[in-house]
Amino acid sequence: MSGNEAVWFPKEDYLQQTRLYQWMNKTGLTNYDEFFQKSIVDTSWFWDEAVKELGILWDTPYQKTLDLTNGVKYPRWFTGGKMNIYTNSVEKWAKNEQTKGNKAVIWVGDDGSEQTFTFEELMNEVEQTAAGLLATGVKRGDVVTIYLPMLPETVTAILAIAKIGAIFSPAFSGYGAEAVAARIDASQAKFLITADGFFRRGKVVNMKKECDRAVSLSPTIEKVFVIRRTGQEIPWTKGRDLEWSDIRKNVSPSKTVDTYGNDPLMLIYTSGTTGKPKGAVHTHAGFPIKAAFDAGICMDVKPGDTLFWYTDMGWMMGPFLIFGGLVNGSAILLFEGTPDYPNADRIWNITADHSVTHLGISPTLVRSLMKYGSSSADSFNLENLRVIGSSGEPWNLEPWMWLFETIGKNRIPIVNYSGGTEISGGILGNVLVKPISPITFNSPLPGMDAHVYNEQAESVISQVGELVIGKPWVGMTNGFWNENERYEDTYWSRWPDTWVHGDWAIIDEHGFWTITGRSDDILNVAGKRLGPSELESILAAHEDVLESATIGVPDSVKGETAVCFVVLQNKLLLSPELKLELLKRIERQLGKALLPSMIYQVSELPKTKNGKILRRVIKAAFLQKDTGDLTSIDNPSALNQIKSLHPTVKE
């Protein structure tokens, strides 16, 4: 089966029940392609209609949907409008008699402990927390770093910060001190919220110790708020460190701050090619509205649903989970643990037990779960599961089909979702009113004026090119924090008034889109462009290959040639016969000209702590070059084996 053959089709009754179809009907446009075209031709009309459809409440109505006085790089949305996203995430549901008792937050711990909060209970928690933060000196405009695992208090803290008009800046809970300190310094945060620790695979992870090291490197931090999760003994600095439970005692609720929609809400740092993190600036009426739109209108999240995205608050999908769910009146599920501990069926168990309607996972996670077979999911009732979301990296065919057929029983659509931290969500997706084919995207998301450009900045079909966006959208980062020159250079420097996202993509003759890799990962073999995922998919489709990675290395004849790395199943060895078989598969599917010069076996591939394979680092290690910032790598020891493989290195 090829990736451009649809395998999921929306039946007429299903289609008519989707939020997207019903909204299209209200606008008088029942044909999706016509609706999409209008969404990118008249962006002001589109986003004005979108916030109405989402039921966004404004304390002061906006005067103009889109103001381009400062150019397309710096659009201003909903000018003059005042709203606080906390009101739209919690208060509007908690103060409604019909919805105040609905579940808002479900938390599942690594150790099996659970907590559930209704919208009314969540509001009370946020009110207490906001008052406590104000009483200890946090004020409007202050930056508060969030260095927390997935806990109920993580959600409470973020919403409380929004309520009082401060700015939260999440850092991945698995980061070491140096990475956290780099983000604190870049944001000039005055406050940090952390935990004594958390549980992972039954073991205690001490966060406070790492937090203290980070603070010792960050002179701007004035106060550290500590949430007790594990109860372990931890170092304590009197006068600086404050107990989370103490700051919430004997406080009086405060009024929600009357913020403008364009006021900063979140600084979220994302990796840069130089290794220095980039601080994307997001606003009250930016990131949360885009996240809510993508989740609610495109993925069909509704009031009463349960959204569970396996992620961390330091990655974009963490805040997406909060606002994508709560703004739509859905419960959100946070999971502290790992998907295959203590048993291989953990993630399916949680999904079934809590009647999850929307589950978000990554291709890497699916590949890791495949080794357990279908038995890990077969014993659970997943009938409430309506949508499986996927983000973070390109798919290859076999795991996608395994997820669709074995787990989803050919019933559940997989919403492939690709965008980024600076986007506030997706550029491309699978809308539920069109057929879905494996590993691809069936459309840019409404409002996203996406194209594939060749070197001459011409839109192309059936050619690999740069993924670009031609018009601004709600949720677009308001520059980088104190680094707008870097922002402009990163996204706007190649072609006038065109956002160049940094992904290679291709649109096939049927209109399905595929992300083939990052622009700087693309190979140019004797003038032929080759996305690394094209080779990786062929290799990973072999039953003996668990996962693979491809890089381009200099070649005196072709300019560049491919080198592949494979991790094999069940501790197998890469025999000459298996290597030949893999090469023949590649030749059969891509032709002799694109054969890799070498396939190496490794015991593991270097990945980020959320499972992304780092080709940039693999390439640098293999070529004996500086690997740059390694703070985001979960297994840096994997690089030692890769370094030893280069022909110039003696065993």
Side-chain angles (χ1 to χ4, degrees):
M1 176 182 292
S2 64
N4 60 11
E5 296 175 359
V7 296
W8 181 87
F9 301 86
K11 294 179 180 178
E12 190 63 27
D13 59 341
Y14 177 98
L15 184 149
Q16 292 179 9
Q17 291 173 16
T18 64
R19 290 183 71 181
L20 177 55
Y21 182 85
Q22 292 174 3
W23 181 37
M24 286 164 49
N25 258 348
K26 289 180 189 177
T27 67
L29 295 165
T30 55
N31 178 280
Y32 175 77
D33 293 330
E34 291 177 8
F35 174 80
F36 174 76
Q37 283 303 313
K38 185 167 184 182
S39 81
I40 60 174
V41 169
D42 191 348
T43 52
S44 292
W45 165 83
F46 174 76
W47 288 107
D48 182 46
E49 291 294 322
V51 293
K52 292 174 185 173
E53 184 62 21
L54 289 168
I56 300 300
L57 302 177
W58 298 87
D59 299 309
T60 301
Y62 52 90
Q63 296 147 9
K64 190 176 181 181
T65 307
L66 173 60
D67 180 355
L68 291 176
T69 302
N70 298 323
V72 295
K73 301 182 187 71
Y74 301 99
R76 291 185 66 79
W77 293 94
F78 313 116
T79 54
K82 288 187 175 182
M83 60 88 81
N84 189 301
I85 198 58
Y86 166 65
T87 301
N88 286 279
S89 302
V90 181
E91 282 186 335
K92 86 171 187 180
W93 307 109
K95 293 182 178 180
N96 183 321
E97 285 297 321
Q98 294 183 320
T99 56
K100 68 180 184 180
N102 288 358
K103 292 178 183 178
V105 175
I106 301 164
W107 174 76
V108 179
D110 180 80
D111 57 1
S113 53
E114 296 184 0
Q115 282 183 276
T116 300
F117 299 83
T118 65
F119 276 100
E120 187 174 39
E121 289 167 341
L122 178 60
M123 181 179 70
N124 293 335
E125 289 291 320
V126 174
E127 298 286 348
Q128 256 190 310
T129 302
L133 292 174
L134 285 170
T136 49
V138 183
K139 61 184 185 299
R140 182 174 184 160
D142 284 342
V143 177
V144 183
T145 295
I146 303 286
Y147 180 44
L148 286 169
M150 296 297 266
L151 300 174
E153 292 89 346
T154 309
V155 178
T156 304
I158 285 171
L159 293 169
I161 290 165
K163 175 181 166 66
I164 65 177
I167 305 164
F168 73 94
S169 181
F172 173 53
S173 63
Y175 273 148
E178 289 75 14
V180 178
R183 286 151 178 79
I184 293 172
D185 289 344
S187 67
Q188 294 292 285
K190 294 181 180 179
F191 304 92
L192 186 148
I193 304 175
T194 192
D196 56 357
F198 59 95
F199 294 96
R200 183 176 176 84
R201 294 190 175 275
K203 297 179 180 177
V204 174
V205 178
N206 188 324
M207 283 194 89
K208 181 58 165 58
K209 186 177 179 182
E210 209 64 27
C211 164
D212 284 355
R213 287 211 306 121
V215 173
S216 72
L217 300 169
S218 308
T220 61
I221 293 294
E222 298 172 6
K223 300 286 183 186
V224 176
F225 305 104
V226 184
I227 296 163
R228 297 286 181 169
R229 163 68 179 119
T230 64
Q232 63 187 309
E233 287 191 20
I234 53 173
W236 199 262
T237 301
K238 193 173 180 180
R240 184 199 69 187
D241 296 347
L242 299 171
E243 292 279 3
W244 187 251
S245 57
D246 288 347
I247 72 162
R248 289 158 38 88
K249 290 177 181 175
N250 304 317
V251 290
S252 301
S254 60
K255 184 178 178 295
T256 299
V257 169
D258 201 15
T259 49
Y260 282 95
N262 283 298
D263 283 351
L265 166 73
M266 171 176 71
L267 300 182
I268 184 164
Y269 284 85
T270 180
S271 298
T273 53
T274 63
K276 181 183 177 184
K278 304 171 295 186
V281 183
H282 291 298
T283 63
H284 280 257
F287 183 102
I289 288 179
K290 170 64 171 164
F293 176 83
D294 288 3
I297 306 301
C298 300
M299 299 182 194
D300 210 44
V301 172
K302 303 172 182 177
D305 283 346
T306 299
L307 173 63
F308 169 26
W309 211 285
Y310 179 66
T311 185
D312 185 272
M313 208 52 67
W315 310 127
M316 186 208 82
M317 296 311 296
F320 173 94
L321 172 64
I322 291 178
F323 298 112
L326 297 181
V327 173
N328 284 297
S330 163
I332 59 172
L333 191 150
L334 285 78
F335 178 39
E336 178 190 37
T338 48
D340 59 353
Y341 175 86
N343 300 305
D345 59 14
R346 186 75 186 275
I347 198 162
W348 313 122
N349 190 353
I350 292 170
T351 301
D353 278 0
H354 294 281
S355 300
V356 170
T357 57
H358 294 71
L359 172 67
I361 49 181
S362 70
T364 292
L365 174 56
V366 172
R367 285 191 287 267
S368 69
L369 293 173
M370 283 175 67
K371 63 188 176 186
Y372 300 117
S374 62
S375 60
S376 64
D378 285 346
S379 58
F380 296 99
N381 183 350
L382 301 180
E383 65 179 15
N384 291 302
L385 187 59
R386 299 203 316 269
V387 172
I388 297 175
S390 155
S391 63
E393 59 184 306
W395 279 96
N396 48 304
L397 185 60
E398 186 185 8
W400 195 99
M401 291 303 299
W402 180 83
L403 180 63
F404 180 67
E405 294 177 340
T406 304
I407 303 301
K409 310 300 182 189
N410 299 295
R411 173 184 68 85
I412 304 172
I414 298 175
V415 174
N416 208 9
Y417 184 59
S418 182
T421 303
E422 299 91 331
I423 304 295
S424 292
I427 302 171
L428 305 176
N430 281 330
V431 293
L432 299 174
V433 298
K434 295 184 71 175
I436 293 172
S437 75
I439 79 174
T440 65
F441 308 86
N442 65 14
S443 175
L445 295 178
M448 303 303 291
D449 184 26
H451 304 270
V452 175
Y453 273 10
N454 63 13
E455 294 288 344
Q456 290 73 45
E458 301 164 330
S459 290
V460 293
I461 304 291
S462 300
Q463 292 181 40
V464 173
E466 288 276 6
L467 177 62
V468 303
I469 308 172
K471 290 186 177 178
W473 64 94
V474 166
M476 188 176 118
T477 182
N478 284 20
F480 293 159
W481 190 248
N482 299 325
E483 288 190 303
N484 279 349
E485 185 177 342
R486 186 182 180 201
Y487 159 69
E488 293 179 21
D489 183 62
T490 300
Y491 291 112
W492 299 98
S493 59
R494 186 161 182 187
W495 294 302
D497 291 342
T498 302
W499 176 288
V500 180
H501 191 59
D503 279 340
W504 287 112
I506 186 170
I507 313 168
D508 69 21
E509 66 274 18
H510 304 287
F512 290 112
W513 297 59
T514 304
I515 300 286
T516 62
R518 294 294 297 171
S519 304
D520 50 6
D521 285 339
I522 207 75
L523 284 73
N524 191 333
V525 181
K528 301 175 183 68
R529 284 181 175 175
L530 177 67
S533 64
E534 294 178 76
L535 281 170
E536 292 163 1
S537 293
I538 295 169
L539 293 168
H542 192 282
E543 60 183 7
D544 292 337
V545 177
L546 180 62
E547 57 186 355
S548 65
T550 297
I551 62 170
V553 301
D555 183 85
S556 59
V557 176
K558 298 180 178 180
E560 194 172 37
T561 185
V563 171
C564 301
F565 303 85
V566 295
V567 179
L568 299 184
Q569 301 270 16
N570 302 319
K571 298 183 180 179
L572 291 172
L573 293 176
L574 184 62
S575 65
E577 293 78 16
L578 178 55
K579 185 182 290 187
L580 182 60
E581 186 180 341
L582 293 173
L583 288 168
K584 283 183 176 178
R585 282 186 174 220
I586 294 169
E587 182 176 351
R588 190 163 57 245
Q589 295 187 45
L590 294 180
K592 198 169 186 177
L594 296 177
L595 276 174
S597 59
M598 183 58 67
I599 300 177
Y600 292 104
Q601 180 180 5
V602 292
S603 56
E604 58 180 338
L605 295 168
K607 298 176 183 177
T608 62
K609 294 176 175 68
N610 67 333
K612 286 188 182 180
I613 294 169
L614 292 167
R615 298 189 192 95
R616 171 189 66 81
V617 175
I618 293 172
K619 183 171 181 175
F622 182 73
L623 296 177
Q624 310 295 306
K625 293 184 177 179
D626 181 14
T627 51
D629 178 17
L630 299 179
T631 55
S632 65
I633 297 185
D634 194 38
N635 54 339
S637 61
L639 297 177
N640 297 330
Q641 186 179 10
I642 292 170
K643 288 177 182 178
S644 71
L645 293 172
H646 194 273
T648 60
V649 178
K650 304 255 184 189
E651 292 287 340

